[in-house]
Amino acid sequence: MEIERKFLINTLPEKLDACPFHHIEQAYLCTAPVVRVRRQDNDYILTYKGSGMMMREEYNLPLTAEAYAHLLSKADGNVLTKKRYVIPLPDGLNIELDLFEGKFAGLYLAEVEFPDESSANSFVPPDWFGREVTYDPAYHNSNMSQV
């Protein structure tokens, strides 16, 4: 089960360059249900996501580079590229801050994943977070891949 909240970011946090990051490329084979292929650095993953906004089922399976390339060629819509920074929070959670590239350059989205619904509902975002878009389908990567 994936439990996450999403926020727009207008101003990047200080000392971002000190945080670890990943280069991500992903595309969608299907958007209902969501079936995604992703390259994250040198790892390749096939993901299934169930329906839902803040809470939904998620299953990840490893792929080879060859399988990823084969499936990527079958994807519909935009291939999304982004740089994802991982920023630790004091309570053991992490902010995953996505700086989009290509068609969505200039869009910054932060996601925080939670162990349970109660933690998600009680989360107080840092001051540098902007508007929450957890329930706005326009900011789901699967929908962004189709515009």
Side-chain angles (χ1 to χ4, degrees):
M1 179 70 63
E2 175 186 59
I3 304 169
E4 72 178 11
R5 290 177 59 187
K6 290 184 173 200
F7 300 84
L8 290 174
I9 303 300
N10 299 323
T11 305
L12 296 175
E14 293 181 19
K15 301 180 183 175
L16 186 59
D17 292 337
C19 297
F21 63 87
H22 303 284
H23 290 285
I24 295 175
E25 173 184 78
Q26 63 191 39
Y28 293 81
L29 302 170
C30 186
T31 58
V34 171
V35 179
R36 174 188 76 200
V37 291
R38 172 184 279 177
R39 177 183 56 80
Q40 179 171 307
D41 302 324
N42 294 317
D43 293 322
Y44 304 91
I45 306 155
L46 173 70
T47 301
Y48 165 87
K49 292 188 178 204
S51 62
M53 300 297 262
M54 184 175 80
M55 296 176 42
R56 59 186 176 168
E57 290 181 83
E58 179 179 270
Y59 302 98
N60 293 304
L61 297 169
L63 291 172
T64 63
E66 295 78 18
Y68 171 79
H70 176 74
L71 292 170
L72 183 65
S73 72
K74 298 178 180 326
D76 295 328
N78 304 305
V79 175
L80 302 178
T81 56
K82 55 191 174 181
K83 189 173 187 180
R84 172 171 284 175
Y85 287 91
V86 180
I87 304 167
L89 289 169
D91 54 8
L93 299 173
N94 289 312
I95 298 166
E96 293 179 339
L97 176 58
D98 291 343
L99 282 57
F100 285 82
E101 300 164 344
K103 180 175 183 170
F104 297 100
L107 175 63
Y108 306 145
L109 275 177
E111 299 176 352
V112 180
E113 289 195 29
F114 302 91
D116 54 58
E117 186 176 6
S118 175
S119 299
N121 289 329
S122 64
F123 176 70
V124 177
D127 292 341
W128 54 272
F129 276 32
R131 177 171 64 95
E132 182 167 5
V133 294
T134 301
Y135 296 99
D136 186 340
Y139 293 99
H140 281 224
N141 285 213
S142 58
N143 291 331
M144 290 168 55
S145 74
Q146 301 305 303
V147 296

